[in-house]
Each structure stands twice: as C-alpha cells, then as structure tokens.
C-alpha cells in the first residue's frame, strides 16, 4: 500500500471507509502497521506512526457517527455510540461497564476530565512491576504534549453547573479542598451532554484531533470493521484478519486481511484480551484477561428544597481527591450533571407514590459520585462463545466505598441537602447528617443490592518486566510476540484511583516512540 | 440461584445491563404510537394486547401493565399520565424485541416467576393484588434476602421506568428541556488544527 498524503486537516469530518463503501467480498492490504481500535490509545498511535512516515491502517469495529448526528439524548447515544448499546455489565449484572464503541472510542462519550498519572503509582509500578522506565521525569514531557495537543485546561470559573456550585459551598463549609476539573475541552458550550457526544466539537476527542491528523498524514481508517484474529508466526506479528459488518443489518459485507509487521492493539481493556485469547497469542504468563479492575462508582442523590436544575453546565466541574490514595481512603468524589432518564433508575425511593413524588422533584436533585480505587480482582474471558466479565466488588474495596459515601453525604448535607438517597435495591435515604454513620455502616457487600456504574475498565494485559507475571513488556510490546504492541487501558498494572484517559494518552505516546525507534 | 433457573438468571443480568440499552427503536415505537394519537394509545393500553406490541404475550403484558400502574400512579401528580405514553409499545419494540432469544426466554420466565411471587404470602398473583399490596410486594422483594428477588424487583421496574422516561414528552412536567446545542445556536468548532 502506498501512503497517500492529504496533509490538510479538513475543517470538519473524517475521510474513512465504512461498510457502505465496501463493494468487494474480500480485501487484502499490506501496511507497515495495523492498529486495532480508534479510541484513546489507537488514535494516538496511528498519528504518531503515520507522522513518522509509516503506512498505517486503523480498523475500528464501531460505526462512524459524525458529530452533527449526535442527538443529545443519552438513551439514543447509548444505542449508537456505546459498547453493546450501553448494555455491557459484569456477569452478575449489577455493574454497568461503559465503553465507547464508535470511531474515536470512549473519548467520544467521555466526560473529558483529565489527570496526570500520580507519581505514587509510577513509583509503585517501578517497584512492583519493574517499570523503572516510566519515571515521573520520563513521563512529564508526554503529559505536556497531550495537554497541549488536546487543549487540556483547568475549567474557567464560568465552566461549572448549578449542582457543582452547591457542592463547592459544602466543601468550603467542611474545609475540604475542592479540585477544579481539567478537561480536554475548548470553549465548552456548557450543554452537559458529554456522555452523549459533543455536537459542537468542543470536546477534543479523538474524532476531531488525532484521527483527522493521522488521516492527514496518510493513515487509512476503516469503520464497521471488527478484527477477529491477530496473525503471528515464529514469534513475530504478521497482521490481522477482520470482518466488515453492515451496522444496519448486522451482516458481514467483506473479509479483510491486513499484512503488517507491526500490530498495535488498542481495542480497549475488554476487547484486547478477548482478541488475544481468541488468537491464542501472548499468553504464556496466563495473565491475558486477568487483573481486571474498573473503578466502580456509586452516586448519592441529594434533594434540595428548591429547584437546582443541575442538567446543563459543565458535565464535570470539581472533584475531591484528598482521600484518593489508598492510604488516605482510596476514593475520589466527582460531581456530574444528570438527565431524567438516568435519574429515573439511580435510586429507589419506594414503589408508587414515593417514586412519583421523587421524580416530580427531579429539578431539586443533584448527584455526587464516589469512585473507588479497586483491586485487580476481575477477569475477562470467553464463556460458551460469549464474552464474560467476572468481577465482584472486593470486601476491602467495599469498605473504601462506604468511607467515600460517608464523606459524600457530609458534603451534600453541608451543601444544603434535605435528604440523600442511596443507590440501593430497596428504599434507603439519609434524613440528616446525624444519620450518616448509622445508615452507611449498615451496608453489606451483597450482589444485586447496589446500582454500580464503571466508566474505567482497565488492567487486563498488564505491563511489567517479568514475563511470568505480565503480558506486555516495559516498552509496550508483548513478551511473547515481537512487534505486537498494546497501547490501551489494558496496560495499567494497578488501578490508579483517578480517571485514566490522560494516562492512556501518555502511555500511547510513549509506546509509539518505542515503536518508531530503530529496532535492535 | 435457589429456585430460579440459569436462563432466568442470565435474563436478570441482561436487564441489569439494560440501564442504557438501544433506544433507537424507541423513536420508531413512539412515532408509530403517536400516529394513534394519545387517546388511541390510552384505548390501546386497555386492550388485551395493544397495537404495536408483538413480543410480549397477553399474560406478560398484564404483568408489565400492572407494574406500570403500581410504580407510576400519575393521577393527582404533574407527571404525564401513563395512559398517554406508549410505554408498552416502547418496552416491546425497544427493549424486548432487541433481546437475544435465549435471554428473552429467560426474561419471560422471570416475569412469570415475579407474577407468582406473592402467592405464598398473599395467596394471589401479582396481577391480582390491589394497589397497596402490589406496591408492598415490590418493596419487600427489593429488600429480600434472596439476590434474585432483589434483581427482579429492581430489573422489572427499571425496564418499565425506562420505557416511560425515554419518551421526551415525559420530561416536560419535570422542567427538563432536553437537547440544547441547536436551540442555543452553538457553532461547531470542527476539527482541531494539526499540532506544530
Ligand atoms: C461514559 C464514559 C465517561 C468517561 N469519562 C472519563 C473522564 O471524564 N475522564 C477520563 O479520564 N476517562 C473517562 N472515561 C474513560 C476513558 O475514556 C477510557 O479510559 C479511555 O478512552 C480508554 O482508552 P482505550 O484506548 O483503552 O479504549 P477506547 O477509547 O474505549 O477505544 C477502544 C476502541 O476499540 C474498538 N474495538 C473494540 N474491539 C475491536 C475489534 N475487535 N476490532 C476493531 N476495533 C475494536 C472499540 O469500538 C473502541 O472504539 C470515560 C469512559 C466512558 C465510557
């Protein structure tokens, strides 16, 4: 394949091949590198490799949804932009595990909150996983670079929401320092629709940054194209097999084969291990798919006397990370706006009149999320030909959740809440600050008892120096197969307790540099 | 999973996942129901199987319709009456019709199990209970020691609730105005320029 230089980034949209464009039943291409997935890790790798003159093909299983087609209705966005139409969960069904599944991946639907990887974890990864190459000094220029490229900036004072203002007042009263969100957003429109995709392209997702840049550097992008097998022989990566599927009918339109000496996996922390397991590759350690963590979250919903109207504004405005490191408590608090569809199932006020009365007061409610740093106790794999995410919240992690919920409730009452609803299967509310400990101490770690959401699956192809304990080496290459790389959230050896996108962006840049470096 | 079989359990897990399922078909369901007019929808809801309902059986429809009436008693409130929203059509077309067959079979088992749930304590099926007893039964199962009972009470109510709230007219009495970018005239910033 010859590299086509477009050089100019179009003002809007992406040049790519979709199922509708494919006429022949099989396609066979050759390239220097094939990239599986077009989200955070894949888009960055595509641009960095193409910018160095490599011929690059990016294959994305999800559809191309240009921003003008976004609806600002979460229920519909789930159907078009999310993995399994928003229906992915653990095997118990009590943790909704959200991922984007479209061109641009989760970056299209994420809330754009960015944190550098804390030094604490870089040091822990060096000590426990031999990642002595990822020092804070080595990583700093990578963070600088993505922060510049993705316009990562602290929210301006007007980039807030009515609920965030109340929470901020509560934090002040308690003397808890608020963190002001940094986000990859330019001139935020304050619609509050990050989770449904940004219609006006202010969120600097991969859809409007690294993907058009990669294409301008000659990368070829296929949407509706699911990689089904990674090819390797004699310990070397050789390419991939894929299927182009018509998203309207679900029928296969073509088989695709890409021959490439460099294969970069960026299908995300659920699909990357599934693909490796299916391909029978890179698993001499037996660790592929293991060590799944997901930052489980629970939201408390607070009711106020007056309408707050916390549905437009910055999706995230502030956070509390005073207690985020494991020694401090292991939890992070995040505010987020909420639409009525989501509000309708977040809590159980009681069947019938209590529910009607609660929903009638939707305007008076705000939510505050508790996210925990969790242990890597889960596993992604295949069961009877279907994917299975086996993960239940660990007992010790549940205690962190309880500690987080207590602080969360204190903040909401200090903010002026009259009542706080818990996300339990049964009706459970806290009527005043004096009840916080009694109610939350009564919670038990049980299945189908809570309404959890995970936005951050991770850890399933962990990185490290020891081939017996890890899947990927410190340069991002699998221990077993030369020139087979992983650049997505599967890499994280431990959960980091903070939203991980900037960590993935920086690691993808770092690994792209290793791929581009002269090989021994 | 004491007395529930594996299929029902799988279906419950699927309902858990349905928090944000494919609602594209809601659009279609709402449009087709809207052509009936709100009175038409109200009349249809009273029929054994309203127009636009193809996947659920009459007895399943009876359970879902009873659950809707019990969980969302809108009369006397500001909310849009459930009779004016194509809840059953939305549930049928957007949620049930998109379920893989083996999970749908499990869900159907779960609905039957839920309907029979009150018999030991109340001597009646769920669909035969009066409003107060039916609401009490839902709350008892939501707080039951058996995880499947909790999952069913949460899951079935979530399904019915989603099918109501996904219809934009239900947002109006809440004071929620929905999409705003076009209304506010926000211009697209388009693609970012290539970094230097
Ligand atoms: C709703 C939501 C909100 C979030 N909010 C934040 C936030 O505010 N801050 C933050 O830091 N993080 C946030 N995140 C998480 C963050 O976006 C992810 O951690 C990050 O995008 C992970 O990058 P990735 O490259 O691993 O995967 P993704 O970005 O998810 O990309 C993976 C891509 O691979 C594709 N794919 C999968 N399988 C195949 C296959 N077989 N063949 C081809 N393509 C395939 C998928 O369709 C997907 O497009 C959020 C996530 C979600 C879902």
């Amino acid at each position: 394949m010859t590299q086509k230089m477009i050089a100019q980034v179009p003002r809007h949209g992406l040049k790519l091949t979709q199922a509708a464009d494919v006429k022949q039943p099989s396609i066979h291409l050759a390239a220097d590198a094939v990239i599986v997935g077009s989200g955070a890790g894949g888009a960055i790798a595509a641009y960095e490799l193409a910018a160095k003159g490599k011929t690059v093909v990016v294959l994305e299983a999800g559809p191309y949804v240009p921003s003008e087609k976004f609806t600002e209705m979460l229920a519909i966005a789930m159907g078009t932009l999310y993995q399994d139409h928003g229906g992915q969960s653990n095997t118990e069904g009590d943790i909704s595990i959200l991922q984007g599944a479209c061109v641009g991946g989760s970056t299209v639907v994420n809330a754009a909150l960015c944190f550098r990887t804390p030094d604490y974890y870089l040091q822990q990864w060096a000590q426990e996983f031999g990642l002595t190459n990822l020092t804070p000094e080595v990583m700093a220029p990578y963070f600088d670079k993505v922060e510049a490229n993705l316009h990562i900036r602290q929210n301006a004072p007007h980039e807030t929401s009515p609920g965030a203002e109340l929470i901020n007042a509560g934090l002040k009263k308690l003397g808890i320092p608020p963190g002001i969100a940094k986000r990859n957003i330019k001139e935020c429109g304050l619609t509050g629709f990050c989770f449904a995709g940004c219609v006006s392209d202010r969120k600097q997702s991969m859809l409007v940054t690294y993907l058009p840049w990669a294409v301008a550097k000659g990368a070829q992008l296929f949407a509706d194209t699911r990689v089904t097998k990674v090819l390797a022989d004699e310990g070397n990566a050789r390419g991939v097999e894929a299927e182009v599927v018509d998203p309207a009918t679900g029928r296969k339109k073509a088989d695709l084969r890409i021959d490439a000496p460099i294969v970069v996996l960026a299908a995300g922390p659920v699909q990357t291990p599934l693909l490796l397991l299916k391909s029978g590759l890179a698993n001499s350690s037996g660790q592929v798919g293991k060590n799944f963590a997901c930052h489980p979250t629970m939201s408390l919903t607070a009711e106020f006397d007056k309408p707050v109207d916390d549905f437009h504004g910055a999706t995230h405005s502030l956070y509390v990370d005073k207690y985020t490191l494991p020694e401090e408590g292991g939890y992070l608090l995040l505010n987020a706006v909420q639409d009525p569809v989501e509000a309708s199932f977040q809590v159980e006020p009681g069947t019938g009149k209590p529910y009607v009365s609660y929903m009638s007061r939707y305007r008076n409610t705000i939510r505050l999320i508790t996210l925990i740093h969790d242990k890597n106790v889960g596993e992604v794999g295949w069961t009877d030909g279907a994917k299975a995410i086996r993960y239940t919240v660990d007992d010790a992690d549940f205690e962190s959740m309880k500690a987080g919920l207590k602080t969360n409730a204190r903040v909401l009452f200090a903010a002026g809440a009259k009542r706080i609803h818990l996300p339990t299967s049964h009706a459970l509310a806290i009527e005043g600050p004096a009840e916080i400990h009694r109610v939350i101490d009564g919670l038990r770690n049980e299945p189908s008892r809570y309404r959890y959401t995970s936005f951050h699956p991770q850890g399933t192809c962990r990185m490290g120096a020891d081939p017996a304990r890890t899947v990927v080496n410190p340069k991002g290459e699998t221990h077993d197969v030369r020139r087979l790389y992983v650049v997505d959230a599967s890499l994280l050896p431990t959960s980091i307790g903070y939203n991980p996108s900037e960590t993935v962006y920086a690691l993808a840049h770092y690994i792209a540099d290793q791929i581009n470096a002269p090989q021994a | 999973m004491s007395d529930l079989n594996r299929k029902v359990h799988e279906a419950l897990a699927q309902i858990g996942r349905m928090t944000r399922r494919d609602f594209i078909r809601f659009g279609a369901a709402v449009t087709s129901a809207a052509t009936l007019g709100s009175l038409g929808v109200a009349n249809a809801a009273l029929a054994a199987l309203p127009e636009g309902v193809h996947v659920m059986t009459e007895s399943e429809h009876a359970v879902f319709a009873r659950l809707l009436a019990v969980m969302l008693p809108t009369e006397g409130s500001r909310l849009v009456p459930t009779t004016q929203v194509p809840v059953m059509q939305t549930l049928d077309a957007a949620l049930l019709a998109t379920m893989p067959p083996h999970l749908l079979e499990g869900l159907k088992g779960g609905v039957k199990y839920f309907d029979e749930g009150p018999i030991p304590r109340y001597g009646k099926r769920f669909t035969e209970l009066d409003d107060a007893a039916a609401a009490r039964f839902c709350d008892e199962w939501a707080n039951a020691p058996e995880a499947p009972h909790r999952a069913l009470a949460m899951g079935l109510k979530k399904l019915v609730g989603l099918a109501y709230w996904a219809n934009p007219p239900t947002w109006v009495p809440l004071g929620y105005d929905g999409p705003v970018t076009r209304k506010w005239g926000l211009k697209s910033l388009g693609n970012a320029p290539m970094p230097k």
Side-chain angles (χ1 to χ4, degrees), chain B residues 50-115:
Chain B
E51 204 165 314
V53 169
H54 306 292
V55 181
M56 58 178 104
T57 63
E58 270 183 41
S59 53
E60 289 151 10
H61 173 261
V63 177
F64 282 124
R66 186 76 193 112
L67 187 57
L68 173 65
V70 168
M71 77 176 271
L72 266 162
T74 47
E75 65 288 344
S77 78
R78 286 184 288 126
L79 301 189
V80 177
T82 48
T83 49
Q84 288 177 22
V85 181
V87 181
M88 290 299 131
Q89 290 87 342
T90 309
L91 173 57
D92 199 78
L95 298 172
L96 306 190
T98 60
M99 281 182 101
H102 71 288
L103 292 179
L104 181 62
E105 198 189 321
L107 174 67
K108 285 168 174 275
V111 172
K112 185 167 180 289
Y113 185 79
F114 181 81
D115 190 31

Side-chain angles (χ1 to χ4, degrees), chain A residues 10-11 13 68 72 78 85 87 89 200-202 208 213 312 342 348 351 355 359-360 363 425 447 449, chain B residues 16-17 20-21 70 75 78 139 142-143 150 154 157 165 174 177 180-182 187-192 195:
Chain A
R11 235 205 72 45
E68 64 270 18
E72 297 191 325
M78 287 290 159
H85 309 296
S89 78
S200 59
D201 293 322
R202 282 136 206 270
V208 295
W213 304 342
H312 300 310
E342 215 179 351
E348 173 57 75
T351 303
Y355 180 70
M359 284 306 291
S360 300
R363 291 180 69 185
S425 61
R449 175 63 79 181
Chain B
R17 292 172 209 140
R20 308 160 186 244
R21 265 186 68 84
V70 168
E75 65 288 344
R78 286 184 288 126
D139 291 339
N143 198 16
R150 296 197 295 269
M154 249 197 306
K157 278 170 62 177
W165 293 109
L174 301 187
D177 55 351
V180 289
T181 292
R182 288 171 188 98
K187 297 260 175 313
S188 165
L189 298 188
N191 291 330

Side-chain angles (χ1 to χ4, degrees), chain A residues 4-24:
Chain A
K4 284 187 229 108
M5 296 295 284
I6 300 170
Q8 279 290 322
V9 178
R11 235 205 72 45
H12 190 87
L14 255 180
K15 186 174 174 296
L16 78 174
T17 306
Q18 304 177 70
D21 307 319
V22 172
K23 305 293 175 224
Q24 64 273 49

Side-chain angles (χ1 to χ4, degrees), chain A residues 39-41 59-61 101-102 105-106 110-113 227 267 271 455 488-489 499 501:
Chain A
L59 304 177
E60 167 56 53
C102 55
S106 300
N110 77 16
L113 184 60
V227 173
Q271 295 295 337
F455 303 88
D488 60 26
N499 307 45
S501 62

Side-chain angles (χ1 to χ4, degrees), chain A residues 265-298:
Chain A
L265 300 183
V270 175
Q271 295 295 337
T272 287
L274 288 175
L275 191 54
L276 283 175
L277 289 170
K278 201 169 187 183
S279 308
L281 292 175
N283 198 18
S284 63
S285 62
Q287 295 298 307
V288 170
K290 301 262 169 65
N291 313 304
F292 175 89
C294 67
H295 286 170
T297 71
M298 278 199 214

